[in-house]
Amino acid sequence: MATPLPTFVTRRRPDWDALQSLLTRQRAGRLSLAELRTLDTLYRRAAADLAQAQTFYPGTDAHRFLNQLCAQAYGAIYQPPRERWASTRDFFRRDFPATLRREARFVGVSAGLLVLGLLLGALVVTLEPRGAELLVPEGVRRYVAQGRMWTDDLLSVAPPNAVASGIATNNLTVTLFAFASGILLGVGPIFTLVNNGVLIGAVGALCFREGMMTGFLDFIAAHGPVELSIIVIAGGAGLMVGQALIDPGELPRAQALQARGREAVKLVVGCAPFLAGIGFVEGFISPGHLFPTWAKVGLGLSLGVLFWFYLLRAGRTDAGVARVDVPDAMASSRLR
């Protein structure tokens, strides 16, 4: 008969905490020979605990925590240090997209919040024209009143590289805030997602009302699909942090935050190069009329499809191989 889960966690947690502490010191390169032996012993105990969790408590927070803990310990003990380029390659080839697929429910909720904001902003401006005075920035309203796009003068005020740099910095700020504000019990990401959705929806509705929808779509078509996807992913990462604080499950709140935060950080770090790339598109291609609208639409749709195809398919062929190591170690721990 299985031990009740709270009893199992309470009894075994000291060893898990000790193993985490040794792994932290091992990454800093400060373990003595005796501590290395202790690390190996604690790993084998944790592997046996993981086997028990897989049998009696599958799908629980304790099971997920032990799976991560054993994977880290196995890598620290048995796998030789990898070159930085190899680690980076494996992260983008397998870890980042696999993490997004595991946490798809948070990304889905994040997307729903952004869409909710879009609908609210568009409805307010459509049903109450004066709503634009509250939701649309004054500078944008002034350009629209003149029948001009506020983006038309971007490239005349600053060179494309400066525009791209400024846009990338702004996008990075929004992305990091959507993630880091998850520490406010998830309220920060909710506000960021709904607020950005309201702004985009309100501006779109204003442009539609004033007969400038073509210009609006001309500007957002090339970068919009990927940029909004990144904001949604960062928002999902922030919601993960908030959920760990509100409902840590069977684990202590600090351990739950550490475990969920580590997964959330993978999502944000994985988005970084794509954020830089789409900043280039938004600075060099989206503004002005150098590229025709059909080319911008085609580029935006292509980039969006390729981005999500990568996230949903990359690393799937490696998944079976990646999960073999820890179970093999657990089997050996049982024999000993």
Side-chain angles (χ1 to χ4, degrees):
M1 186 174 182
T3 304
L5 180 57
T7 303
F8 170 71
V9 172
T10 301
R11 188 178 70 243
R12 300 299 306 140
R13 196 172 73 192
D15 275 356
W16 304 344
D17 290 342
L19 179 55
Q20 275 193 314
S21 177
L22 285 174
L23 286 172
T24 301
R25 294 184 58 198
Q26 188 268 346
R27 283 192 288 269
R30 295 196 301 266
L31 290 187
S32 65
L33 182 59
E35 288 173 325
L36 286 172
R37 293 194 184 99
T38 303
L39 175 64
D40 182 65
T41 300
L42 290 174
Y43 160 65
R44 295 180 186 282
R45 292 177 186 173
D49 291 340
L50 176 57
Q52 186 174 350
Q54 285 180 325
T55 303
F56 298 110
Y57 321 112
T60 62
D61 289 336
H63 176 211
R64 288 188 287 269
F65 172 78
L66 282 168
N67 196 46
Q68 290 183 2
L69 182 63
C70 287
Q72 292 170 28
Y74 179 81
I77 296 171
Y78 296 109
Q79 294 181 358
R82 295 184 298 175
E83 296 180 0
R84 180 171 299 180
W85 165 246
S87 298
T88 303
R89 180 195 61 202
D90 289 346
F91 173 77
F92 284 102
R93 187 176 67 181
R94 183 178 63 242
D95 293 348
F96 169 47
T99 300
L100 181 131
R101 292 193 292 268
R102 282 197 306 271
E103 309 300 343
R105 67 186 189 279
F106 291 98
V107 178
V109 172
S110 178
L113 291 169
L114 182 68
V115 171
L116 174 63
L118 285 168
L119 294 176
L120 287 175
L123 283 174
V124 168
V125 174
T126 300
L127 300 178
E128 176 51 68
R130 289 178 298 178
E133 298 177 8
L134 297 175
L135 302 180
V136 180
E138 181 182 357
V140 174
R141 297 201 312 270
R142 187 166 58 249
Y143 271 96
V144 172
Q146 299 171 0
R148 301 169 56 209
M149 286 296 295
W150 61 96
T151 59
D152 289 344
D153 297 334
L154 279 178
L155 298 182
S156 62
V157 173
N161 59 334
V163 173
S165 176
I167 289 172
T169 301
N170 177 73
N171 291 343
L172 180 62
T173 301
V174 173
T175 300
L176 289 178
F177 183 80
F179 160 62
S181 60
I183 202 71
L184 303 174
L185 302 179
V187 174
I190 294 173
F191 170 79
T192 302
L193 291 162
V194 174
N195 183 62
N196 276 272
V198 166
L199 176 60
I200 297 171
V203 171
L206 177 63
C207 289
F208 179 80
R209 193 180 71 198
E210 301 300 327
M212 297 179 58
M213 195 62 180
T214 301
F216 177 70
L217 293 176
D218 179 80
F219 174 67
I220 68 169
H223 65 271
V226 173
E227 182 177 296
L228 294 179
S229 296
I230 291 172
I231 292 174
V232 163
I233 293 171
L239 293 175
M240 291 169 59
V241 173
Q243 188 264 350
L245 291 170
I246 294 172
D247 181 21
E250 305 89 358
L251 298 176
R253 187 166 276 102
Q255 286 188 352
L257 179 61
Q258 182 180 23
R260 303 300 290 149
R262 187 180 297 113
E263 296 297 289
V265 166
K266 289 181 182 179
L267 296 180
V268 178
V269 171
C271 286
F274 299 99
L275 194 64
I278 210 63
F280 175 88
V281 173
E282 190 173 359
F284 283 83
I285 297 175
S286 294
H289 305 286
L290 180 62
F291 298 91
T293 300
W294 64 265
K296 295 180 182 180
V297 172
L299 177 63
L301 290 176
S302 299
L303 291 176
V305 169
L306 288 173
F307 182 62
W308 281 101
F309 182 83
Y310 155 71
L311 291 175
L312 297 177
R313 299 300 304 171
R316 286 188 179 273
T317 57
D318 298 334
V321 176
R323 288 194 293 264
V324 171
D325 295 332
V326 171
D328 284 349
M330 289 192 306
S332 67
S333 70
R334 289 196 206 101
L335 292 176
R336 301 183 184 195

